[in-house]
């Protein structure tokens, strides 16, 4: 890896972490156990399918580090109070979901149809990780219990769907416009006899 690609990677990571911070302002209260509807959940997935597993993971981790001192989480909260609240599972899920979604996305064929398919699978898997860990955190932090916490996640599917669909189209457009964003797969060269 050369110095230019390292600087470029750091810039991508910083830009997406900043985007996640800005999206913390968008916070729609719900009647679902103090868990608001936020754009950060979908943005972390979109970032991962654009950046890939390593940069997506690092952008999510940088966002969490920034949230330790800046009020960029839903409702203008910082990380420490949020780790003690009902949304702890979602915060823990961000880097995990970003890595897994990025890994799936970066295995996509370079055709538009292949990218749409892989990015859709990556988005569904990434959101499932967020929902599952979010429900586990919710079950631990409230009196709700795990079955109710898992059932509550169903209420977030429809609001998250347009965001994820838009993210898939954005990611396909970005990868089509910047094909070098994703490293080329190396094909083995035949050995000379």
């Amino acid at each position: 890896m050369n110095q230019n690609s390292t600087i470029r990677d750091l810039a991508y990571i910083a830009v997406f972490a900043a985007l996640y911070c800005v999206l913390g302002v968008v916070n729609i209260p719900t009647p679902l156990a103090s868990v608001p509807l936020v754009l950060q959940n979908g943005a972390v997935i979109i970032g991962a399918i654009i950046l890939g597993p390593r940069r997506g993971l690092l952008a999510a981790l940088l966002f969490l580090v920034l949230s330790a001192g800046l009020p960029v989480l839903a409702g203008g909260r910082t990380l420490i109070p949020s780790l003690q609240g009902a949304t702890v599972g979602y915060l823990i899920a961000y880097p995990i979901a970003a890595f897994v979604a990025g890994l799936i996305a970066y295995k996509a064929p370079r055709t538009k149809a292949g990218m749409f398919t892989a990015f859709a699978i990556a988005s569904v898997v990434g959101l499932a990780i967020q929902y599952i860990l979010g429900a586990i955190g919710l079950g631990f932090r409230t009196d709700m219990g795990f079955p109710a916490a898992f059932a509550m996640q169903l209420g977030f599917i429809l609001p998250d769907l347009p965001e994820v669909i838009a993210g898939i189209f954005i990611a396909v457009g970005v990868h089509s416009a910047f094909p070098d964003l994703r490293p080329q797969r190396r094909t083995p060269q035949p050995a000379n006899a």
Side-chain angles (χ1 to χ4, degrees), residues 8 12 55 106 110 174-175 177-184:
R8 188 172 35 250
Y12 291 148
R55 292 178 298 202
Y106 268 44
R110 292 188 177 268
V174 168
H175 283 291
F178 301 100
D180 292 338
L181 190 60
R182 206 165 36 140
Q184 297 289 330

Side-chain angles (χ1 to χ4, degrees), residues 42-138:
V44 167
I45 303 303
I46 295 165
I49 61 179
I50 290 173
L51 297 177
R54 184 179 55 83
R55 292 178 298 202
L57 168 71
L58 292 173
L61 288 173
L62 177 58
F63 164 66
L64 292 175
V65 167
L66 292 171
S67 73
L70 299 173
V72 295
L73 295 173
R77 293 179 297 150
T78 59
L79 183 63
I80 302 305
S82 296
L83 289 176
Q84 298 168 359
T87 59
V88 62
Y90 297 99
L91 298 175
I92 292 169
Y94 282 168
I96 298 166
F99 182 79
V100 173
L103 198 61
I104 294 168
Y106 268 44
K107 299 288 184 190
R110 292 188 177 268
T111 64
K112 283 193 178 185
M115 285 191 285
F116 272 111
T117 302
F119 294 174
I121 293 167
S123 298
V124 168
V125 170
L127 279 176
I129 290 169
Q130 288 181 1
Y131 291 162
I132 291 166
L133 292 179
I136 291 170
L138 188 61

Side-chain angles (χ1 to χ4, degrees), residues 189-193:
Q189 300 294 324
N192 292 337

